[in-house]
Amino acid sequence: MGRSGIILAAIALIIAGCLSAISMAVEDDKTVIGIDFGTSSCRVGFYKDGHVEIIPNDLGNRTTPSWVAFTEDSSSSESPLIGEAAKNQVALNAERTVFDVKRLIGRSFEEKEVQSVMKVAPYKIVKKDRKPCIRIEFKDGESKVFSPEEISAMILTKTKETAEAFIGKKITDAVVPVPSYFGDEQRQAILDACLIAGLNDVTIIDEHMAVAYAYGLHDEEEPVKNILVVDVGDGGTLDVSVLETEYGLLDYLAKNHLGGEDYNQRIMEHFIKLIKNKYGKDVSKDNRALVKLSIEAERTKRALSRRHEVCVELFEHVFQTVTFEELNNDLIMGLVKKAIEEAPRLEKHQIDDIIVVGGSSNVPKVQKLLRDYFDGKLEPKMIVNPAEAVAIGAAVAGHLVIKQRASHSMC
């Protein structure tokens, strides 16, 4: 090789080194946020200096309601109200206030979950291209139809802007956990909503995997460990899974889900039984009564995610107090037992840890039920704030994404 060839080769190496350094610097400067896009509320966090920070919104709250509201004068050029601002005005503007959109996203119009939402939602849900969409009526007869992805994107945009204001730079990357029972269409719909919100590089992971990251199970050095995850969420969903960790590798052994529609049915059955036992009336074949009880079941489910007991109007101005425990005891433990039974070659005594998460997991009775089931030998872990575990795990996963990119850049 001549002198000029050697010089060119040296220059090429210098350029390659500089490009690699620039690439690594860009990756080091990247921030991947973790977003817990929940049915009832959202949380966002990021990994910094060895720990996760949950980012407060502009009101100083660590959680933002997953609510969107349009005013009568709203036009395409005006921004809707998001979060607390939307939720606080629902009494005066119910038909233009949208919530529970996660229960609609990625579903077909005919699905039971969609029909369940339609029974009680104050806003109008219409069919468009076989999908549920939200129609908002404005003044002078003007109306506009929004897809669940578009409404979700409004919430995600607010969450993204909250993170950008706190961190001080533009954010385009995120990790967004979804329930393990979400199918391909629902996962794709979440990705579409993220893209509309300006999140161009999004990693989807299962919520219980995020919980495992939050508890550092990906760093475990033990050969095999079986973890029971019990997720008692807001909005009436119950998820139970059994995870196996082996030297930090995570895998599902079993997972069970009780959705909003199933939860409603359980509450209705409880009401029907109450009426029959206490008042001697069998309303199980009375369609009018069943519609009334269906609406009360949805209202009760919501109320019990916020407080311990609810006063319910069963029929003909007859009221009954219903507690969280009496509706959930058999549901939670039924799912726990089923998950353990379905986990291959696993028995109850082989569960090493219990992790309890979700907005309703702080109810003492839930923790007692689990302790009693395991004969007092296992204590439910709640080291991480159970309401924030998914967001924390998503932020940890975001940090791992950055590390992985950096290692690829070095190669």
Side-chain angles (χ1 to χ4, degrees):
M1 182 185 293
R3 184 175 178 181
S4 61
I6 294 172
I7 293 172
L8 288 173
I11 291 171
L13 286 171
I14 291 169
I15 291 172
C18 290
L19 288 174
S20 177
I22 290 169
S23 174
M24 290 180 66
V26 168
E27 293 299 341
D28 286 344
D29 192 50
K30 277 274 190 182
T31 298
V32 181
I33 58 174
I35 301 176
D36 176 11
F37 175 42
T39 304
S40 303
S41 58
C42 283
R43 294 170 182 84
V44 59
F46 76 112
Y47 192 92
K48 180 183 178 182
D49 299 331
H51 72 282
V52 172
E53 287 194 42
I54 297 298
I55 301 170
N57 61 20
D58 49 6
L59 295 178
N61 299 325
R62 293 164 69 91
T63 180
T64 299
S66 301
W67 290 52
V68 176
F70 301 85
T71 65
E72 188 179 54
D73 297 320
S74 290
S75 66
S76 58
S77 62
E78 294 178 330
S79 299
L81 303 173
I82 312 289
E84 289 94 344
K87 191 171 184 178
N88 292 341
Q89 53 79 74
V90 63
L92 302 174
N93 187 32
E95 291 185 355
R96 299 186 191 89
T97 303
V98 184
F99 50 88
D100 273 4
V101 71
K102 191 176 176 183
R103 292 176 64 185
L104 303 176
I105 197 166
R107 296 185 182 274
S108 66
F109 185 82
E110 286 76 18
E111 286 188 52
K112 283 185 177 181
E113 188 78 0
V114 174
Q115 298 302 310
S116 176
V117 176
M118 286 181 66
K119 290 175 184 176
V120 294
Y123 52 89
K124 293 181 180 178
I125 300 174
V126 297
K127 186 177 182 179
K128 183 179 179 182
D129 299 328
R130 296 181 292 116
K131 302 292 183 182
C133 289
I134 296 97
R135 187 172 70 200
I136 302 296
E137 305 282 349
F138 300 109
K139 68 177 183 180
D140 301 327
E142 182 188 357
S143 67
K144 188 172 182 181
V145 175
F146 298 90
S147 68
E149 291 87 339
E150 289 174 309
I151 298 293
S152 298
M154 295 174 190
I155 300 166
L156 289 166
T157 298
K158 175 73 172 178
T159 305
K160 172 178 172 285
E161 290 173 349
T162 295
E164 289 175 335
F166 187 88
I167 298 170
K169 62 182 176 183
K170 186 173 177 62
I171 301 293
T172 58
D173 297 27
V175 172
V176 181
V178 299
S180 61
Y181 59 85
F182 261 28
D184 291 342
E185 289 192 7
Q186 288 166 295
R187 290 167 189 257
Q188 184 58 54
I190 293 290
L191 284 171
D192 292 342
C194 289
L195 190 59
I196 297 170
L199 293 165
N200 303 323
D201 195 344
V202 174
T203 302
I204 298 289
I205 64 173
D206 283 2
E207 288 179 351
H208 286 188
M209 287 295 179
V211 171
Y213 285 126
Y215 274 84
L217 298 182
H218 59 292
D219 287 330
E220 290 279 351
E221 295 182 356
E222 296 185 38
V224 177
K225 202 170 184 181
N226 300 310
I227 314 294
L228 178 72
V229 181
V230 181
D231 187 347
V232 191
D234 291 335
T237 55
L238 296 172
D239 291 290
V240 176
S241 65
V242 179
L243 295 175
E244 181 185 72
T245 70
E246 187 170 2
Y247 295 112
L249 297 176
L250 305 172
D251 191 22
Y252 280 109
L253 294 183
K255 47 188 175 182
N256 278 291
H257 163 67
L258 186 73
E261 179 65 23
D262 300 320
Y263 200 111
N264 285 7
Q265 187 62 39
R266 170 65 180 82
I267 297 175
M268 281 184 64
E269 289 170 1
H270 181 78
F271 289 166
I272 290 168
K273 188 176 178 180
L274 266 178
I275 293 170
K276 188 172 184 179
N277 291 345
K278 196 164 185 177
Y279 305 103
K281 293 189 69 171
D282 184 2
V283 297
S284 61
K285 306 297 182 186
D286 185 338
N287 287 336
R288 187 176 175 183
L290 291 177
V291 170
K292 168 72 169 62
L293 292 180
S294 174
I295 293 170
E296 281 297 313
E298 179 70 21
R299 188 187 74 82
T300 301
K301 178 181 70 178
R302 282 182 195 291
L304 286 176
S305 72
R306 297 188 300 271
R307 56 184 186 272
H308 176 256
E309 62 180 34
V310 180
C311 188
V312 181
E313 183 183 354
L314 295 177
F315 71 103
E316 298 172 357
H317 304 294
V318 172
F319 294 87
Q320 177 76 33
T321 297
V322 178
T323 66
F324 181 92
E325 285 93 334
E326 65 186 285
L327 282 175
N328 287 282
N329 287 1
D330 60 332
L331 285 180
I332 294 170
M333 297 318 300
L335 285 185
V336 167
K337 293 172 187 176
K338 187 179 178 185
I340 294 174
E341 287 170 2
E342 291 180 355
R345 301 178 303 280
L346 185 72
E347 296 182 13
K348 183 173 78 170
H349 70 272
Q350 293 174 294
I351 296 293
D352 298 296
D353 281 317
I354 312 167
I355 296 175
V356 185
V357 295
S360 298
S361 59
N362 280 312
V363 176
K365 186 68 173 180
V366 172
Q367 298 160 43
K368 184 178 186 303
L369 282 169
L370 290 166
R371 280 192 212 97
D372 291 347
Y373 180 67
F374 288 95
D375 306 316
K377 296 177 181 177
L378 289 178
E379 183 72 20
K381 280 190 173 182
M382 298 179 73
I383 301 168
V384 174
N385 182 334
E388 296 179 348
V390 172
I392 291 170
V396 171
H399 173 64
L400 295 176
V401 167
I402 293 174
K403 287 178 68 177
Q404 187 177 35
R405 289 176 184 171
S407 65
H408 287 166
S409 295
M410 291 176 69
C411 296

